[in-house]
Amino acid sequence: TDKLITSADKDLSVGAYVMDDPAEQRTYFDVSLTQSGITPLWISVSNLSMDRKFWFDIGEMTLSADKAHFASGSASVNDGAATVLGIADLFAGTIVLSLISQSMLSKSSNVKKNLVDRGLNSHTLGPGQSASGFVYVRRDKAHSGVAGCTLTLAAHEIASAAASAPILLSVSF
């Protein structure tokens, strides 16, 4: 995929870029994440408002699959086929060990540092501010890649009054 996918409303915009090229992944992370079933997504979130503050939590991002996209006869596709991983999730279990084992051991600390340093964290965005970084999507073997999926981000307004419903922005791949 070679294009930035965007979505916006009057107050917020989100952009997403699927980094599915293993060579490009090695440039950013010193390792191909694809071999471990992980697709990095570069995400940018911008507050377009002049007077409102918003916060978003990457733990509230969802990735859902479009059943119509996958070949007929395949197993049922649901949210369990893909998981949006936060930075901390990469270091749970054997995921990071698998990634590091692909590279020379002397590079292992660089791999871990690159994954963390380039990752998107939860943020509060004041007027005119933006945040960007990678989230990591783990796919099951039957449904590699993120084509046919929709990533949804929930942003919450920070206000002195009662809490309002979050603004949902979605990008489809």
Side-chain angles (χ1 to χ4, degrees):
T1 306
D2 280 339
K3 67 181 217 177
L4 181 67
I5 302 163
T6 60
S7 177
D9 73 359
K10 67 181 178 74
D11 292 315
L12 293 165
S13 72
V14 62
Y17 172 77
V18 179
M19 186 182 286
D20 50 9
D21 177 18
E24 191 175 18
Q25 292 171 12
R26 280 189 288 280
T27 298
Y28 278 83
F29 305 108
D30 288 331
V31 67
S32 168
L33 302 175
T34 301
Q35 293 176 352
S36 296
I38 295 174
T39 301
L41 303 176
W42 181 83
I43 306 293
S44 175
V45 183
S46 298
N47 181 345
L48 306 174
S49 77
M50 300 293 262
D51 58 356
R52 297 170 75 189
K53 284 186 177 181
F54 296 93
W55 67 271
F56 68 91
D57 180 350
I58 65 166
E60 291 182 336
M61 282 188 185
T62 60
L63 188 74
S64 56
D66 176 7
K67 292 181 184 182
H69 173 77
F70 296 99
S72 60
S74 67
S76 167
V77 178
N78 59 36
D79 292 351
T83 307
V84 177
L85 302 173
I87 296 163
D89 297 324
L90 282 178
F91 301 101
T94 60
I95 297 172
V96 77
L97 296 176
S98 169
L99 294 173
I100 289 172
S101 70
Q102 293 178 46
S103 62
M104 295 171 37
L105 266 132
S106 62
K107 287 186 176 181
S108 66
S109 63
N110 282 345
V111 171
K112 187 173 181 178
K113 181 179 181 336
N114 287 337
L115 290 168
V116 172
D117 288 351
R118 298 183 193 310
L120 179 67
N121 293 297
S122 301
H123 278 280
T124 297
L125 298 175
Q129 292 182 327
S130 62
S132 62
F134 286 95
V135 295
Y136 307 95
V137 177
R138 180 175 31 190
R139 298 289 290 152
D140 66 14
K141 291 180 183 182
H143 309 101
S144 62
V146 294
C149 294
T150 299
L151 180 79
T152 303
L153 176 127
H156 305 269
E157 183 176 7
I158 298 173
S160 57
S164 59
I167 296 172
L168 301 177
L169 294 172
S170 297
V171 288
S172 296
F173 307 102

